[in-house]
Amino acid sequence: AAASNGRDGGGGGGDNKRKRAAVELDFSQHGVRHVAFKVAYVGFDYGGLAVHALDDNSVEAHLLRAAIRARLVPPPPRDATGVLHDALHFSRCGRTDKGVSGMRQVIAMHV
């Protein structure tokens, strides 16, 4: 019988993994940098590049939610996208309409 290395699902015990408790991150204890991100997207399923509310279907809203989930930026106190933009010094290179794709679009923010 072949020994399992845990990667093939055979006997690795992957079914009983415990979820980690979310650890609160104090962003004031860490440095901040202004970083530019070059992105490209196929816009068929998006409502354009520019965000109107953090829960909308714009490319920018998806990028902001991903940055929050990855803990690159702190979550907003409520759905206050304008406040979040100001706090992050958020900027973008342009805009696209609903359904329009973008290549080499640049966004910048403090992370």
Side-chain angles (χ1 to χ4, degrees):
S4 174
N5 63 7
R7 285 182 254 173
D8 60 0
D15 293 339
N16 57 2
K17 286 186 178 181
R18 286 183 267 159
K19 280 192 168 186
R20 291 185 183 181
V23 176
E24 195 66 32
L25 181 62
D26 184 4
F27 284 90
S28 67
Q29 299 296 314
H30 302 280
V32 175
R33 289 190 163 185
H34 197 72
V35 178
F37 297 92
K38 188 187 296 187
V39 298
Y41 54 90
V42 177
F44 301 130
D45 294 331
Y46 297 105
L49 174 63
V51 69
H52 301 288
L54 197 54
D55 62 349
D56 73 6
N57 194 34
S58 66
V59 172
E60 209 169 89
H62 283 277
L63 291 171
L64 287 170
R65 287 193 302 266
I68 291 167
R69 269 195 316 272
R71 294 184 177 189
L72 292 175
V73 299
R78 57 189 180 334
D79 189 18
T81 305
V83 173
L84 185 61
H85 271 177
D86 292 345
L88 297 178
H89 297 272
F90 190 92
S91 61
R92 75 181 83 75
C93 66
R95 296 173 59 106
T96 57
D97 291 331
K98 180 178 180 180
V100 177
S101 299
M103 296 292 291
R104 292 188 239 169
Q105 301 285 312
V106 177
I107 64 161
M109 65 179 143
H110 283 179
V111 296

